[in-house]
Amino acid sequence: MASPNSEALERYKNAITAASSVVGAAMLLRRFVADVLPDTALGALLLLPAPSARRHSVVIEEFDGAFYNRVFLAAKAYVSTLLAAAPVPLMKASLPRGAGAEQITLAMRPGTAVVDVFDGAELTWGLSSHGGGRRRGGDDAREVFKLSFDGRHKDMVFGAYLPAIMARVAAMSQEQRQAKLYSNEWGKWRPVRLRNASTFATLAMDASLRQAVVDDLDKFLGRKDYYERTGKAWKRGYLIHGPPGTGKSSLVAAISNHLRFDVYDLDLGGVRSNTELRKLLIRMKNRSILLIDDVDCAVVVGPRREAEGGPGGSSTSSMNRKVTLCGLLNMVDGLWSSSGHERILIFTTMHVDRLDQALLRPGRMDMHVHMGYLGFGAFRELASTYHGVAGDDHPLLPEIEALLREVEVAPAEVAEKLLMTDDAGGAVEMVAKLLRDRKDGTEEDGGYVSQKLHAGVGRRHPRSSPMPRASRRGGAAVATRRGVFGDDTGMEISRGQGRRGGGGVRGRGRGRR
């Protein structure tokens, strides 16, 4: 008589044999059906949808690592063009600051979707937000587009649809190209439209200095192959210095309008660390300008070992310093300066002698531009621009020319007088009175420039950066140093007309010849 264990073992063997037979028969049947029936008939027989009919999805995230995802930006711009005619129950409308009502843009809200049709295929754009809600100062909330489509259109989506979107957005950007002004806020760039109409033609600037800057910019743009061949970062640095009211900010706007570059106005006081500074740098677009205004006031210029909490200083003082000089230098010409290409870096200051020499060495600030006081040639351009006064149309012009040789006046002061009336003769008379009073020392307010220059003047930096000597005739003084361009990269350009004093020469625009 067989034991219970033997019977259980026998049943187990029989079950294994039966299962093997079923699996083998199923494999033979599958092979036969696959050889005889097409895929669609097989799917219908098994009541399954065809592989080509299954929905596919593409996820497009806002960031690609630390960089903005260009596909996401293009998708955002493209989807906004679909929303006007789409039956989306909830959308977001925005108007750029300073823009007209015709430039209202629509955007999707997270959790909504819109359908697009391309070559007869329906494609659905959905938007979601990840990271929990936006917090002030936080960057944990990121938007994600989800593009869904029929699986049989996969090749069309990647081969035609997405490239067509990229090309259309690029064409839209070129047609509607308007420079933007970015400011940093809580570790992110916030854009507004840059509506400054300043150009090189309207600047109250010495003609030779203007042409030197324009030639340098054009030369920079046309030397991509040179930078690649020499292994240099495709960037250019300008130090613009001079008294207040001499046109430093207007020159930055003129450079932006000439190149059609966006301007990133970096407030170092709002940057919490060197790490955040690097993050802001790599999130800049190519073909852009990075502006640091009044750099002498924005940078801690103490010893580097102190900034690092070494023997010369405590770690507490290091932590209180948001951005160190070392961090700024790495941004200017360290490894992080190569994170983008076709970039212009501009520092402005009223006190060039206060800057640390490490900021001024060759390879960092390639061209120094001194914006000086007003000269007669620049005044004639202002008078022509504001009131159409050309040639020797006004009898006071010879007197104004003589006064400008003796009096220091900023272009902004003269422009203010020219704007006070629509009468050309009256405006020129007001300028002449300003110069006479300045010469005689009878100005009621003591002068715009003198007040500005003496406001908030603290301890002077022990090091100085002398200005180049000017020729006796008052011509343009140019001191060159070898840099990226070899023979004429680093340039110090100023106008040599004016009084010599302190550590440099005060320029006068297009003053006496």
Side-chain angles (χ1 to χ4, degrees), residues 458-495:
R459 178 179 62 85
R460 296 181 68 85
H461 200 275
R463 287 184 291 270
S464 63
S465 178
M467 297 289 294
R469 293 181 176 272
S471 65
R472 295 183 179 179
R473 296 182 179 179
V478 180
T480 62
R481 59 174 184 267
R482 298 186 66 83
V484 177
F485 288 159
D487 56 348
D488 60 352
T489 303
M491 303 176 68
E492 171 89 25
I493 302 182
S494 64
R495 195 63 191 169

Side-chain angles (χ1 to χ4, degrees), residues 126 143 247 420 465 477:
E143 294 182 333
M420 292 180 68
S465 178

Side-chain angles (χ1 to χ4, degrees), residues 270-332:
V271 181
R272 292 167 287 189
S273 65
N274 290 335
T275 301
E276 185 173 294
L277 179 63
R278 290 193 292 268
K279 182 186 293 187
L280 288 168
L281 179 67
I282 63 179
R283 287 184 175 178
M284 287 176 56
K285 297 178 181 179
N286 295 325
R287 297 179 60 83
S288 60
I289 298 170
L290 178 63
L291 170 65
I292 302 181
D293 213 2
D294 293 324
V295 66
D296 56 300
C297 303
V299 181
V300 176
V301 292
R304 297 189 195 184
R305 63 176 183 176
E306 182 178 345
E308 296 170 358
S314 64
S315 59
T316 303
S317 63
S318 174
M319 292 176 63
N320 291 333
R321 294 180 178 182
K322 297 182 178 181
V323 177
T324 63
L325 176 62
C326 183
L328 183 62
L329 294 179
N330 287 333
M331 180 197 73
V332 173

Side-chain angles (χ1 to χ4, degrees), residues 300-416:
V300 176
V301 292
R304 297 189 195 184
R305 63 176 183 176
E306 182 178 345
E308 296 170 358
S314 64
S315 59
T316 303
S317 63
S318 174
M319 292 176 63
N320 291 333
R321 294 180 178 182
K322 297 182 178 181
V323 177
T324 63
L325 176 62
C326 183
L328 183 62
L329 294 179
N330 287 333
M331 180 197 73
V332 173
D333 68 346
L335 292 176
W336 289 99
S337 67
S338 302
S339 60
H341 61 264
E342 248 182 318
R343 288 181 178 174
I344 301 290
L345 175 63
I346 298 179
F347 289 169
T348 71
T349 179
M350 291 188 296
H351 307 285
V352 68
D353 56 317
R354 297 184 185 180
L355 297 182
D356 194 293
Q357 294 302 300
L359 284 172
L360 304 178
R361 74 161 178 81
R364 287 178 176 155
M365 291 293 102
D366 304 296
M367 186 174 187
H368 294 198
V369 181
H370 179 227
M371 300 296 288
Y373 292 111
L374 187 69
F376 183 65
F379 168 74
R380 293 181 66 169
E381 291 187 358
L382 282 178
S384 176
T385 301
Y386 282 73
H387 291 287
V389 178
D392 299 323
D393 291 347
H394 201 282
L396 288 178
L397 292 181
E399 180 186 1
I400 291 177
E401 180 178 9
L403 287 170
L404 285 174
R405 296 194 184 103
E406 305 176 40
V407 175
E408 292 178 344
V409 60
E413 293 181 272
V414 174
E416 181 180 0

Side-chain angles (χ1 to χ4, degrees), residues 26 35 46 54 112 149 151 179 204-205 212 295 297 304 314 359 402 419 427:
D35 292 340
L46 299 178
R54 298 168 190 167
T112 59
F149 50 90
M205 190 176 183
V295 66
C297 303
R304 297 189 195 184
S314 64
L359 284 172
L419 282 172

Side-chain angles (χ1 to χ4, degrees), residues 79-90:
V79 168
S80 67
T81 65
L82 304 176
L83 295 176
V88 179
L90 181 63

Side-chain angles (χ1 to χ4, degrees), residues 75-311:
K76 186 175 182 179
Y78 176 73
V79 168
S80 67
T81 65
L82 304 176
L83 295 176
V88 179
L90 181 63
M91 63 184 71
K92 178 174 62 177
S94 61
L95 181 66
R97 185 178 302 174
E102 71 280 357
Q103 294 176 310
I104 293 178
T105 58
L106 301 176
M108 296 177 62
R109 297 288 296 175
T112 59
V114 63
V115 176
D116 188 23
V117 178
F118 184 82
D119 283 350
E122 287 192 357
L123 306 101
T124 303
W125 288 95
L127 181 67
S128 60
S129 179
H130 296 281
R134 292 188 179 275
R135 298 180 305 168
R136 188 180 183 188
D139 52 4
D140 55 339
R142 301 190 175 190
E143 294 182 333
V144 177
F145 275 113
K146 183 178 180 181
L147 176 62
S148 303
F149 50 90
D150 196 303
R152 63 175 177 268
H153 301 311
K154 178 180 178 181
D155 293 338
M156 180 270 294
V157 169
F158 290 102
Y161 182 63
L162 290 178
I165 288 177
M166 300 294 290
R168 178 174 175 180
V169 171
M172 289 166 50
S173 300
Q174 190 65 27
E175 293 174 0
Q176 305 171 359
R177 178 61 178 159
Q178 291 179 334
K180 294 181 180 179
L181 176 63
Y182 291 82
S183 60
N184 56 300
E185 178 184 346
W186 298 102
K188 288 186 176 181
W189 292 112
R190 308 295 183 184
V192 296
R193 286 183 60 194
L194 180 59
R195 299 181 65 87
N196 193 313
S198 178
T199 65
F200 282 104
T202 61
L203 274 179
M205 190 176 183
D206 174 72
S208 60
L209 175 56
R210 178 195 295 114
Q211 192 59 46
V213 175
V214 172
D215 291 345
D216 191 75
L217 292 169
D218 293 340
K219 189 175 184 180
F220 165 75
L221 288 183
R223 305 203 73 181
K224 178 181 179 180
D225 294 338
Y226 176 86
Y227 282 96
E228 292 180 350
R229 186 174 69 253
T230 58
K232 301 288 186 180
W234 194 4
K235 64 181 182 62
R236 190 77 169 144
Y238 294 86
L239 175 66
I240 304 175
H241 57 97
T246 53
K248 297 185 292 295
S249 298
S250 296
L251 177 57
V252 175
I255 292 175
S256 171
N257 290 327
H258 179 74
L259 300 176
R260 294 190 177 182
F261 280 14
D262 293 335
V263 177
Y264 289 79
D265 186 6
L266 179 62
D267 177 15
L268 290 177
V271 181
R272 292 167 287 189
S273 65
N274 290 335
T275 301
E276 185 173 294
L277 179 63
R278 290 193 292 268
K279 182 186 293 187
L280 288 168
L281 179 67
I282 63 179
R283 287 184 175 178
M284 287 176 56
K285 297 178 181 179
N286 295 325
R287 297 179 60 83
S288 60
I289 298 170
L290 178 63
L291 170 65
I292 302 181
D293 213 2
D294 293 324
V295 66
D296 56 300
C297 303
V299 181
V300 176
V301 292
R304 297 189 195 184
R305 63 176 183 176
E306 182 178 345
E308 296 170 358

